[in-house]
Amino acid sequence: MSVLVVGTIALDTVQTPFGEKKDILGGSGVYAATAASFFGPAAIVGVVGSDFPQEHLEYLKSRKINTESIQTMAGETFRWSGYYEYDMNQAHTKDTRLNVLLSFDPKLTAEQKKSDYVFLANLDPELQLKVLDQLEEPKLIAMDTMDFWINSKREALKKVISRVDIVLINDAEARQFMETPNLPVAAAKIIKLGAKAVIIKKGEHGALLFSEGVHFSAPSYPQEMLRDPTGAGDSFAGGFMGYLAKTDDRSEKNIRRAIIMGSVLASFNVEDFSLERMRRLQPSEISTRFNEFKKFSEFEILEVKI
Ligand code: AMP
């Protein structure tokens, strides 16, 4: 089954301890759709400006991502610039220029309205709502957000949360949004807003799943190669959704596998800038790393009495 992704298509300027790159391909929608495309068909809904290089659109098409709902508008493409210090879990935003995003009105094709698996990647929550209004009967909707929208569009964000199945959010943003230092409490508050489950991403420290009566903790990956964490969260989401759509199984057992698959895609993405590692990624590497993750959290039950 196909995954429909709506999110930003960006030109990013990124500085990490390993270098600085200007106007490189990025955006929440691009990372998520690319990661999902390793599992089956994906489509992306978004907007670019007249300055957006054609070669980037060609790259998306080369991944068999349906790009017919990418609108090109007069003006500049969405731009984000940021930097990371040695604690690469924390992105520091220098500048966000919404540009053409300010007048974007997402329109789904008749086929996209019937999508079963939908990911609302980090984007203006009012645009996420416009997409939700066009969907017919999806089997699963997940969403992501960030501090920029938590600070500027809190109420719209709460409305989106009340209409989705799974909220993906990073630890710092969950704490900020729900005004608590405690992650289980933050997750419970998000579920109270109407989501069925919450996945809290903890960067290099793994991810946590919370839903009614369920808790799962995905292990961290001992990441030796880490050059640019940009897009880790979106690649996680794309791997997670792509795997669920491929298997069309939303059982708890399979959601746990999908969380590991998300972690696998994120762990590859951070190995290089922009989409560079994704361009070289081979499907066999994905399965090998997935199986490696199992080793990191396996242990036996107690055999001695305490
Ligand atoms: P992440 O997976 O959280 O590292 O997401 C990184 C991507 O998010 C970058 O490629 C940015 O272009 C994009 N981005 C940054 N700020 C925003 C924003 N306010 N809304 C949507 N996308 C954003």
Side-chain angles (χ1 to χ4, degrees):
M1 280 197 187
S2 174
V3 180
L4 180 73
V5 174
V6 52
T8 49
I9 302 173
L11 294 174
D12 290 341
T13 295
V14 179
Q15 196 184 349
T16 83
F18 304 97
E20 183 172 2
K21 307 268 174 185
K22 197 172 177 316
D23 282 343
I24 50 177
L25 176 62
S28 57
V30 169
Y31 282 109
T34 303
S37 73
F38 284 89
F39 301 90
I44 181 167
V45 180
V47 63
V48 297
S50 42
D51 58 349
F52 192 69
Q54 182 66 25
E55 65 185 80
H56 295 334
L57 294 173
E58 296 304 325
Y59 170 66
L60 295 174
K61 287 184 196 153
S62 77
R63 294 274 345 139
K64 307 259 184 303
I65 296 169
N66 179 324
T67 57
E68 61 188 320
S69 292
I70 296 184
Q71 296 173 25
T72 303
M73 291 172 57
E76 284 188 66
T77 299
F78 171 83
R79 274 178 171 70
W80 175 78
S81 74
Y83 67 96
Y84 303 84
E85 292 172 335
Y86 279 110
D87 175 4
M88 295 228 244
N89 284 328
Q90 185 63 44
H92 302 279
T93 295
K94 278 199 218 164
D95 197 15
T96 303
R97 295 198 184 174
L98 298 174
N99 296 335
V100 288
L101 204 60
L102 285 169
S103 33
F104 177 45
D105 187 13
K107 295 257 182 302
L108 309 190
T109 65
E111 199 188 324
Q112 289 169 349
K113 290 179 183 170
K114 296 191 177 72
S115 299
D116 285 321
Y117 288 83
V118 179
F119 179 53
L120 309 173
N122 181 23
L123 183 72
D124 182 338
E126 282 167 13
L127 296 177
Q128 293 178 320
L129 286 170
K130 283 191 175 184
V131 171
L132 281 176
D133 288 342
Q134 294 174 59
L135 296 171
E136 287 172 12
E137 255 183 278
K139 291 184 178 176
L140 186 127
I141 311 173
M143 57 120 16
D144 191 5
T145 194
M146 74 181 287
D147 54 356
F148 187 90
W149 304 115
I150 295 171
N151 295 331
S152 60
K153 302 240 170 139
R154 210 179 175 83
E155 290 314 308
L157 197 51
K158 286 186 179 170
K159 271 193 210 147
V160 182
I161 293 176
S162 73
R163 293 175 62 181
V164 304
D165 300 292
I166 303 182
V167 174
L168 292 130
I169 190 164
N170 79 25
D171 47 358
E173 282 148 3
R175 289 187 177 103
Q176 177 202 356
F177 190 22
M178 293 297 120
E179 295 169 336
T180 168
N182 182 312
L183 291 179
V185 170
K189 285 180 143 186
I190 294 173
I191 288 172
K192 249 194 161 156
L193 292 174
K196 296 194 186 87
V198 181
I199 295 172
I200 297 189
K201 300 165 286 173
K202 298 193 298 161
E204 61 186 329
H205 306 300
L208 304 172
L209 166 71
F210 296 92
S211 85
E212 191 88 34
V214 173
H215 177 61
F216 171 63
S217 173
S220 62
Y221 181 73
Q223 192 83 46
E224 284 179 16
M225 182 56 124
L226 169 57
R227 301 185 74 200
D228 173 17
T230 310
D234 310 311
S235 313
F236 177 100
F240 173 79
M241 292 296 283
Y243 177 77
L244 285 181
K246 181 183 175 74
T247 51
D248 195 22
D249 170 359
R250 298 176 302 286
S251 65
E252 184 196 327
K253 204 163 135 184
N254 206 47
I255 285 181
R256 289 178 181 230
R257 276 197 207 105
I259 290 174
I260 301 300
M261 200 53 99
S263 310
V264 168
L265 271 287
S267 75
F268 281 115
N269 181 65
V270 301
E271 291 181 3
D272 209 339
F273 284 87
S274 183
L275 278 291
E276 292 311 315
R277 186 61 178 95
M278 297 289 212
R279 290 178 200 264
R280 304 192 296 271
L281 186 59
Q282 299 300 320
S284 60
E285 295 180 282
I286 297 178
S287 341
T288 305
R289 192 166 288 183
F290 182 94
N291 294 334
E292 259 182 87
F293 262 80
K294 188 161 162 55
K295 291 192 298 216
F296 303 134
S297 55
E298 232 169 17
F299 57 89
E300 304 300 322
I301 59 162
L302 278 183
E303 282 177 351
V304 294
K305 202 166 179 300
I306 309 286

